[in-house]
Amino acid sequence: MEILKVQHLSKTYGKGENQVNALKNVSFILEQGEFAAVVGESGSGKSTLLNCIGALDTPTAGSIYMDGKDLFSMKEEQRTIFRRRNIGFVFQSFQLVSELTVEQNIMFPILLDYRKPEQSAVNEILEVLGLKERRHHLPSQLSGGQQQRVAIGRALITRPKLILADEPTGNLDSKNSQDVIDLLVKASRHYQQTILMITHNNNLTASVDRVLRVSDGVLTDLGGKENEKLS
Ligand code: ADP
Ligand code: ADP
């Protein structure tokens, strides 16, 4: 089942001499349960791509369909609600609420949506994350790797159609990075969760289903694990 369909997406910043064509006619499809990595040099357009898909930025041209729905044909208010329910975000800098416990951080998106969190769902996520004994701890009492696992739990709790991760391992050492990737792999297998992740770390792309390379705003699909075109 198609979860994400990006069609002829372009994004231009600035005008005249200052114009930057950050994305040029980008098209690709992600199926349910696919875990894809976006790689490319700094300034190539990776963040712009993720920001457009997450509706944090507006494309100049083209369309983004999430579960068949055209993101940018919605009214802004509608799009905000749609994003909250259907897209989970994981950032390089974790972005946890420092005053809330592990458990409260994980429940946060449900509360934002004026719903009541199911304790069983929270317990299951704490179990998967290996953070059951830490449920009442504050983020400041956790290691970086643990904090990022909480952020992944927060992205998973709403069972979003898509998880967008922008350099989720950028602040972690190699052991913690692999743990975070393993957790995302588990989410894609176990919950059939579709994941799109930016990474600079070529070692981590071995764990994903598909690699998309962005170079000067142009996207090339490098395909699956059997593909050794990565340098
Ligand atoms: P990275 O290479 O780690 O992705 P960047 O420096 O390319 O970091 O960009 C980080 C963010 O800063 C981008 O997502 C974008 O929103 C913003 N940004 C990048 N370049 C510019 C620019 N020329 N003008 C304004 N904002 C920019
Ligand atoms: P990456 O994430 O691959 O480092 P970005 O998507 O951040 O790349 O940036 C792609 C290009 O768009 C870069 O040339 C960057 O300077 C430019 N850019 C990004 N955000 C902005 C912005 N808000 N205003 C102007 N230029 C930007």
Side-chain angles (χ1 to χ4, degrees):
M1 189 173 72
E2 255 175 46
I3 290 295
L4 175 69
K5 183 166 161 184
V6 174
Q7 266 194 322
H8 307 298
L9 187 73
S10 295
K11 175 68 184 180
T12 303
Y13 292 109
K15 279 197 162 68
E17 283 182 358
N18 295 324
Q19 183 168 313
V20 175
N21 299 317
L23 293 176
K24 301 169 185 166
N25 197 22
V26 166
S27 300
F28 66 95
I29 288 171
L30 289 185
E31 302 283 337
Q32 181 170 16
E34 253 193 307
F35 183 6
V38 180
V39 302
E41 288 175 16
S42 185
S44 57
K46 303 181 299 297
S47 300
T48 303
L49 177 64
L50 235 71
N51 291 345
C52 286
I53 294 170
L56 304 170
D57 203 346
T58 315
T60 309
S63 312
I64 297 168
Y65 296 91
M66 192 92 51
D67 202 25
K69 287 170 202 71
D70 187 343
L71 259 191
F72 290 93
S73 72
M74 295 178 194
K75 293 206 181 82
E76 195 173 338
E77 198 180 332
Q78 217 186 341
R79 185 158 54 241
T80 303
I81 295 170
F82 185 86
R83 171 174 62 211
R84 194 182 291 153
R85 297 206 172 140
N86 296 289
I87 307 176
F89 293 91
V90 180
F91 304 96
Q92 180 171 350
S93 54
F94 321 139
Q95 311 264 24
L96 300 175
V97 181
S98 55
E99 294 81 8
L100 299 182
T101 65
V102 164
E103 190 169 67
Q104 289 165 338
N105 266 285
I106 291 170
M107 287 177 182
F108 197 58
I110 301 280
L111 300 173
L112 265 187
D113 205 25
Y114 305 106
R115 290 185 289 147
K116 197 171 172 292
E118 281 173 43
Q119 192 60 49
S120 61
V122 177
N123 289 346
E124 183 185 336
I125 282 182
L126 284 167
E127 181 82 52
V128 171
L129 299 174
L131 288 172
K132 259 168 82 180
E133 280 71 44
R134 301 286 189 148
R135 68 198 309 157
H136 300 306
H137 288 209
L138 294 171
S140 59
Q141 298 172 300
L142 304 178
S143 71
Q146 288 170 333
Q147 288 185 55
Q148 193 59 300
R149 271 146 56 196
V150 175
I152 291 170
R154 181 182 56 187
L156 283 171
I157 190 78
T158 58
R159 294 285 170 89
K161 298 275 177 344
L162 179 69
I163 289 183
L164 297 175
D166 193 344
E167 294 268 3
T169 64
N171 283 332
L172 303 177
D173 62 22
S174 58
K175 164 77 172 77
N176 277 306
S177 295
Q178 193 58 53
D179 286 351
V180 160
I181 296 300
D182 291 346
L183 198 55
L184 291 173
V185 169
K186 205 155 140 187
S188 76
R189 302 271 181 283
H190 197 74
Y191 297 119
Q192 279 295 295
Q193 188 64 64
T194 308
I195 304 172
L196 188 60
M197 170 186 77
I198 294 180
T199 181
H200 272 127
N201 188 339
N202 278 344
N203 296 329
L204 301 179
T205 54
S207 305
V208 305
D209 301 319
R210 231 167 116 196
V211 178
L212 306 169
R213 175 186 276 162
V214 184
S215 176
D216 194 20
V218 177
L219 183 133
T220 310
D221 191 340
L222 299 184
K225 290 191 178 95
E226 71 282 4
N227 194 308
E228 296 300 326
K229 270 188 273 180
L230 271 176
S231 51

